[in-house]
Amino acid sequence: MCSCWVVLAFCCLGQLCASQNLKPQIAAPQLATNNPTLTTVALEKPFCMFDSSLYPNKSYVIYLYAMKELASAISSLVTTTNSKPLNSTFQQTSGGKLGPYKAAMFNVPNCASPPKFTDVGDVNKVSDVLKQYLFRVWDDGTCLYDPNFLAVCNPPLTPDTTYRFKYVLVDSTEGIMKDQTLWSDPIKTRRAKLPLKIDTWPGQRSGGIIVITSILSVLVFLLLAGLLASVSSAVMGSEASSAETKHLSQTIQQSELRPQLSSE
């Protein structure tokens, strides 16, 4: 009974209940902080979305498609006329500008045994829980430049750009689409700050940084003070030595003149 309530609560989280009107959702901030970033977006996996379309003794996979919001509505189709899912790549669509590209392929999440959110507090389990629950768009920075890469390429997104995403259920045996979500709401990656606009006011820094900065400032001051003291000491020593040498020279001259005066 308890497990049923856990499944129900998980399905309702982020509106992930069985329906034909669902769409991919951005991950909850409690599970994915700083989301989206400049080049990544963390999405909730489609738990319980396609239960009504799953049949026993069948093998299914999930395709994730991505496209830039500027792509036309006509080009937003992700299947061919015979229900075959598109295999368009990031390169072929100019990173989603010309239409959707297949960004990922993964197994259908098991709605009957979802990850437990109580495990998020366990440092030994949090990584596995997040991997089960979330999918990160951009998980490979080298696939675009590797000629031997054969899997689905999931490269970095473009900063300050709006994207939409769609999940598609595919019968891996027949190779045809069985179900799909709507396109997600627009999700915009962050804009990179110009160096001149980065706020360096101490109020934006952590206490540790301020303490370290203060200590370094004091050390630099002491170092400069010591250097100045050394230079001053050397100069004063040089002047004293010069004065002593001059005095000694005058004494020698006077002592040499006295015998001469006595003889005269």
Side-chain angles (χ1 to χ4, degrees):
M1 182 67 179
C2 180
S3 60
C4 293
W5 279 108
V6 172
V7 171
L8 180 59
F10 192 89
C11 288
C12 291
L13 179 65
Q15 298 179 341
L16 296 182
C17 300
S19 171
Q20 298 300 316
N21 297 321
L22 288 177
K23 59 184 70 173
Q25 301 288 328
I26 192 167
Q30 294 86 347
L31 297 177
T33 58
N34 192 31
N35 180 42
T37 67
L38 291 174
T39 57
T40 69
V41 173
L43 300 173
E44 295 176 352
K45 283 187 176 181
F47 278 89
C48 311
M49 278 190 176
F50 300 117
D51 278 10
S52 60
S53 301
L54 301 176
Y55 292 92
N57 302 321
K58 287 282 188 176
S59 178
Y60 300 94
V61 290
I62 300 291
Y63 286 2
L64 171 65
Y65 287 91
M67 72 172 181
K68 293 183 178 179
E69 190 181 26
L70 296 178
S72 66
I74 298 177
S75 63
S76 65
L77 298 177
V78 295
T79 58
T80 62
T81 53
N82 56 356
S83 297
K84 295 282 186 179
L86 295 179
N87 286 317
S88 50
T89 65
F90 183 91
Q91 298 94 322
Q92 292 170 343
T93 62
S94 296
K97 183 178 180 180
L98 304 178
Y101 66 92
K102 187 165 66 174
M105 179 178 67
F106 52 87
N107 294 328
V108 180
N110 188 353
C111 186
S113 58
K116 298 178 181 179
F117 285 114
T118 54
D119 291 339
V120 173
D122 188 337
V123 294
N124 297 319
K125 298 180 179 180
V126 60
S127 179
D128 291 336
V129 171
L130 294 180
K131 286 181 180 179
Q132 292 180 61
Y133 176 65
L134 303 179
F135 181 84
R136 187 175 68 167
V137 185
W138 176 56
D139 206 30
D140 195 329
T142 62
C143 61
L144 290 178
Y145 315 104
D146 184 357
N148 299 317
F149 189 85
L150 300 177
V152 180
C153 187
N154 181 19
L157 302 175
T158 305
D160 193 27
T161 304
T162 302
Y163 289 87
R164 290 179 183 269
F165 304 95
K166 176 192 283 282
Y167 286 127
V168 174
L169 178 68
V170 177
D171 184 325
S172 55
T173 303
E174 301 178 11
I176 60 174
M177 184 200 72
K178 289 298 184 180
D179 204 351
Q180 62 180 320
T181 66
L182 300 175
W183 283 101
S184 70
D185 294 329
I187 301 175
K188 189 173 184 178
T189 53
R190 295 192 177 186
R191 177 189 302 179
K193 285 187 176 182
L194 296 175
L196 294 177
K197 293 186 177 181
I198 296 177
D199 190 355
T200 58
W201 177 251
Q204 299 296 326
R205 302 176 184 176
S206 66
I209 293 297
I210 295 175
V211 171
I212 293 173
T213 304
S214 301
I215 294 174
L216 291 177
S217 299
V218 172
L219 291 176
V220 170
F221 173 77
L222 294 176
L223 180 62
L224 290 175
L227 181 61
L228 290 174
S230 299
V231 172
S232 298
S233 177
V235 170
M236 294 177 63
S238 176
E239 291 178 351
S241 176
S242 177
E244 183 178 354
T245 302
K246 184 177 180 181
H247 177 72
L248 180 60
S249 177
Q250 290 176 349
T251 303
I252 292 173
Q253 290 178 0
Q254 290 176 1
S255 63
E256 290 178 348
L257 288 174
R258 286 175 183 173
Q260 293 178 0
L261 293 175
S262 299
S263 62
E264 291 178 355

